[in-house]
Amino acid sequence: MHEKFMQEAIDLSRQKMKENCGGPFGCVVVRDGEIIGRGWNQVTSTNDPTAHAEITAIREACRKLNSFQLNNCEIYTSCYPCPMCAGAIFWARPRAVFYANTAQDAAEIDFDDRFIAEQMQLPPEKCNIPFQQILREEAMKVFEEWEKKPDKIKY
């Protein structure tokens, strides 16, 4: 079964690449042996830097499940997830992730995300795009309200 779903992710990557939707990446989310989310890279076709295959597949699957988590699901992606997609995967909490190409394979065709991983390890003020903290006290008030909110949905 794993090969069938991975082949679907690979086929999506090829099809959507040929249609000029974006880079050569595809992904499917599976639950109980059924595909509930399909995604492909749509960065250039939607002008959305977050429209990676894994993100778009997760969004579709979560809409279908009416849930912000992918409990009891598997993700099949044509390439090892970038740092952004890996973060989204951990937030979605699937049961397992299967991938085909490696990050090194992607780097060899100019999809190299090492820079991002390296930047994320630096203190905020040392990043190539500097991060500067402002109005923390004001923002902390909202966090305090969240802590006291009786009807919050935890995740």
Side-chain angles (χ1 to χ4, degrees), residues 83 114-124 126-127:
R114 268 182 297 182
F115 168 77
I116 297 168
E118 290 167 0
Q119 289 290 302
M120 292 176 71
Q121 299 303 312
L122 295 173
K126 299 275 187 191
C127 293

PDB file of all heavy atoms in Angstrom, residues 83 114-124 126-127:
ATOM      1  N   PRO A  83      12.089  22.834   6.122  1.00  0.00           N
ATOM      2  CA  PRO A  83      11.812  23.191   7.524  1.00  0.00           C
ATOM      3  C   PRO A  83      10.395  23.698   7.760  1.00  0.00           C
ATOM      4  O   PRO A  83       9.772  23.351   8.767  1.00  0.00           O
ATOM      5  CB  PRO A  83      12.853  24.276   7.820  1.00  0.00           C
ATOM      6  CG  PRO A  83      13.990  23.963   6.897  1.00  0.00           C
ATOM      7  CD  PRO A  83      13.344  23.453   5.638  1.00  0.00           C
ATOM      8  N   ARG A 114      19.101  24.409   3.224  1.00  0.00           N
ATOM      9  CA  ARG A 114      20.070  24.448   4.325  1.00  0.00           C
ATOM     10  C   ARG A 114      20.189  25.846   4.922  1.00  0.00           C
ATOM     11  O   ARG A 114      20.341  26.005   6.125  1.00  0.00           O
ATOM     12  CB  ARG A 114      21.451  23.982   3.851  1.00  0.00           C
ATOM     13  CG  ARG A 114      21.682  22.497   4.046  1.00  0.00           C
ATOM     14  CD  ARG A 114      23.041  22.134   3.606  1.00  0.00           C
ATOM     15  NE  ARG A 114      23.077  22.443   2.161  1.00  0.00           N
ATOM     16  CZ  ARG A 114      24.099  22.229   1.368  1.00  0.00           C
ATOM     17  NH1 ARG A 114      25.195  21.739   1.841  1.00  0.00           N
ATOM     18  NH2 ARG A 114      24.036  22.515   0.082  1.00  0.00           N
ATOM     19  N   PHE A 115      20.133  26.861   4.056  1.00  0.00           N
ATOM     20  CA  PHE A 115      20.220  28.245   4.507  1.00  0.00           C
ATOM     21  C   PHE A 115      19.151  28.531   5.561  1.00  0.00           C
ATOM     22  O   PHE A 115      19.421  29.153   6.587  1.00  0.00           O
ATOM     23  CB  PHE A 115      20.078  29.190   3.313  1.00  0.00           C
ATOM     24  CG  PHE A 115      19.872  30.624   3.702  1.00  0.00           C
ATOM     25  CD1 PHE A 115      20.932  31.406   4.137  1.00  0.00           C
ATOM     26  CD2 PHE A 115      18.612  31.207   3.644  1.00  0.00           C
ATOM     27  CE1 PHE A 115      20.751  32.734   4.502  1.00  0.00           C
ATOM     28  CE2 PHE A 115      18.421  32.527   4.007  1.00  0.00           C
ATOM     29  CZ  PHE A 115      19.491  33.294   4.434  1.00  0.00           C
ATOM     30  N   ILE A 116      17.927  28.058   5.313  1.00  0.00           N
ATOM     31  CA  ILE A 116      16.826  28.310   6.249  1.00  0.00           C
ATOM     32  C   ILE A 116      17.097  27.607   7.576  1.00  0.00           C
ATOM     33  O   ILE A 116      16.956  28.203   8.645  1.00  0.00           O
ATOM     34  CB  ILE A 116      15.481  27.857   5.647  1.00  0.00           C
ATOM     35  CG1 ILE A 116      15.172  28.677   4.396  1.00  0.00           C
ATOM     36  CG2 ILE A 116      14.357  27.975   6.675  1.00  0.00           C
ATOM     37  CD1 ILE A 116      14.036  28.134   3.567  1.00  0.00           C
ATOM     38  N   ALA A 117      17.501  26.364   7.510  1.00  0.00           N
ATOM     39  CA  ALA A 117      17.795  25.614   8.737  1.00  0.00           C
ATOM     40  C   ALA A 117      18.911  26.289   9.526  1.00  0.00           C
ATOM     41  O   ALA A 117      18.835  26.397  10.755  1.00  0.00           O
ATOM     42  CB  ALA A 117      18.166  24.177   8.390  1.00  0.00           C
ATOM     43  N   GLU A 118      19.929  26.765   8.825  1.00  0.00           N
ATOM     44  CA  GLU A 118      21.034  27.456   9.504  1.00  0.00           C
ATOM     45  C   GLU A 118      20.543  28.753  10.141  1.00  0.00           C
ATOM     46  O   GLU A 118      20.906  29.062  11.278  1.00  0.00           O
ATOM     47  CB  GLU A 118      22.158  27.756   8.510  1.00  0.00           C
ATOM     48  CG  GLU A 118      22.889  26.514   8.049  1.00  0.00           C
ATOM     49  CD  GLU A 118      23.784  26.760   6.841  1.00  0.00           C
ATOM     50  OE1 GLU A 118      23.852  27.914   6.335  1.00  0.00           O
ATOM     51  OE2 GLU A 118      24.417  25.791   6.389  1.00  0.00           O
ATOM     52  N   GLN A 119      19.729  29.522   9.428  1.00  0.00           N
ATOM     53  CA  GLN A 119      19.228  30.789   9.957  1.00  0.00           C
ATOM     54  C   GLN A 119      18.372  30.563  11.198  1.00  0.00           C
ATOM     55  O   GLN A 119      18.412  31.357  12.136  1.00  0.00           O
ATOM     56  CB  GLN A 119      18.415  31.518   8.887  1.00  0.00           C
ATOM     57  CG  GLN A 119      19.234  32.074   7.756  1.00  0.00           C
ATOM     58  CD  GLN A 119      20.099  33.246   8.198  1.00  0.00           C
ATOM     59  OE1 GLN A 119      19.610  34.246   8.689  1.00  0.00           O
ATOM     60  NE2 GLN A 119      21.401  33.102   8.039  1.00  0.00           N
ATOM     61  N   MET A 120      17.607  29.491  11.209  1.00  0.00           N
ATOM     62  CA  MET A 120      16.719  29.213  12.338  1.00  0.00           C
ATOM     63  C   MET A 120      17.485  28.865  13.612  1.00  0.00           C
ATOM     64  O   MET A 120      16.932  28.939  14.703  1.00  0.00           O
ATOM     65  CB  MET A 120      15.735  28.105  11.967  1.00  0.00           C
ATOM     66  CG  MET A 120      14.740  28.569  10.913  1.00  0.00           C
ATOM     67  SD  MET A 120      13.637  27.273  10.359  1.00  0.00           S
ATOM     68  CE  MET A 120      12.620  27.074  11.806  1.00  0.00           C
ATOM     69  N   GLN A 121      18.747  28.511  13.473  1.00  0.00           N
ATOM     70  CA  GLN A 121      19.568  28.188  14.642  1.00  0.00           C
ATOM     71  C   GLN A 121      20.217  29.425  15.259  1.00  0.00           C
ATOM     72  O   GLN A 121      20.734  29.368  16.363  1.00  0.00           O
ATOM     73  CB  GLN A 121      20.663  27.190  14.248  1.00  0.00           C
ATOM     74  CG  GLN A 121      20.144  25.866  13.717  1.00  0.00           C
ATOM     75  CD  GLN A 121      19.224  25.166  14.691  1.00  0.00           C
ATOM     76  OE1 GLN A 121      19.539  25.045  15.876  1.00  0.00           O
ATOM     77  NE2 GLN A 121      18.081  24.730  14.229  1.00  0.00           N
ATOM     78  N   LEU A 122      20.182  30.543  14.545  1.00  0.00           N
ATOM     79  CA  LEU A 122      20.832  31.767  15.018  1.00  0.00           C
ATOM     80  C   LEU A 122      19.925  32.541  15.971  1.00  0.00           C
ATOM     81  O   LEU A 122      18.702  32.442  15.886  1.00  0.00           O
ATOM     82  CB  LEU A 122      21.164  32.674  13.821  1.00  0.00           C
ATOM     83  CG  LEU A 122      22.182  32.148  12.809  1.00  0.00           C
ATOM     84  CD1 LEU A 122      22.254  33.090  11.615  1.00  0.00           C
ATOM     85  CD2 LEU A 122      23.549  31.971  13.447  1.00  0.00           C
ATOM     86  N   PRO A 123      20.529  33.363  16.842  1.00  0.00           N
ATOM     87  CA  PRO A 123      19.703  34.277  17.635  1.00  0.00           C
ATOM     88  C   PRO A 123      18.987  35.231  16.667  1.00  0.00           C
ATOM     89  O   PRO A 123      19.532  35.569  15.614  1.00  0.00           O
ATOM     90  CB  PRO A 123      20.719  35.033  18.494  1.00  0.00           C
ATOM     91  CG  PRO A 123      22.016  34.327  18.348  1.00  0.00           C
ATOM     92  CD  PRO A 123      21.948  33.484  17.129  1.00  0.00           C
ATOM     93  N   PRO A 124      17.786  35.669  16.982  1.00  0.00           N
ATOM     94  CA  PRO A 124      17.000  36.483  16.053  1.00  0.00           C
ATOM     95  C   PRO A 124      17.749  37.685  15.469  1.00  0.00           C
ATOM     96  O   PRO A 124      17.629  37.983  14.290  1.00  0.00           O
ATOM     97  CB  PRO A 124      15.806  36.940  16.898  1.00  0.00           C
ATOM     98  CG  PRO A 124      15.680  35.909  17.966  1.00  0.00           C
ATOM     99  CD  PRO A 124      17.074  35.430  18.238  1.00  0.00           C
ATOM    100  N   LYS A 126      20.795  37.984  14.751  1.00  0.00           N
ATOM    101  CA  LYS A 126      21.933  37.609  13.898  1.00  0.00           C
ATOM    102  C   LYS A 126      21.493  37.068  12.535  1.00  0.00           C
ATOM    103  O   LYS A 126      22.326  36.786  11.683  1.00  0.00           O
ATOM    104  CB  LYS A 126      22.775  36.526  14.593  1.00  0.00           C
ATOM    105  CG  LYS A 126      23.359  36.950  15.917  1.00  0.00           C
ATOM    106  CD  LYS A 126      24.650  37.664  15.740  1.00  0.00           C
ATOM    107  CE  LYS A 126      25.261  37.899  17.113  1.00  0.00           C
ATOM    108  NZ  LYS A 126      26.357  38.771  17.096  1.00  0.00           N
ATOM    109  N   CYS A 127      20.206  36.907  12.315  1.00  0.00           N
ATOM    110  CA  CYS A 127      19.712  36.361  11.044  1.00  0.00           C
ATOM    111  C   CYS A 127      19.952  37.339   9.898  1.00  0.00           C
ATOM    112  O   CYS A 127      20.052  38.541  10.113  1.00  0.00           O
ATOM    113  CB  CYS A 127      18.208  36.074  11.141  1.00  0.00           C
ATOM    114  SG  CYS A 127      17.800  34.750  12.281  1.00  0.00           S
TER     115      CYS A 127
END
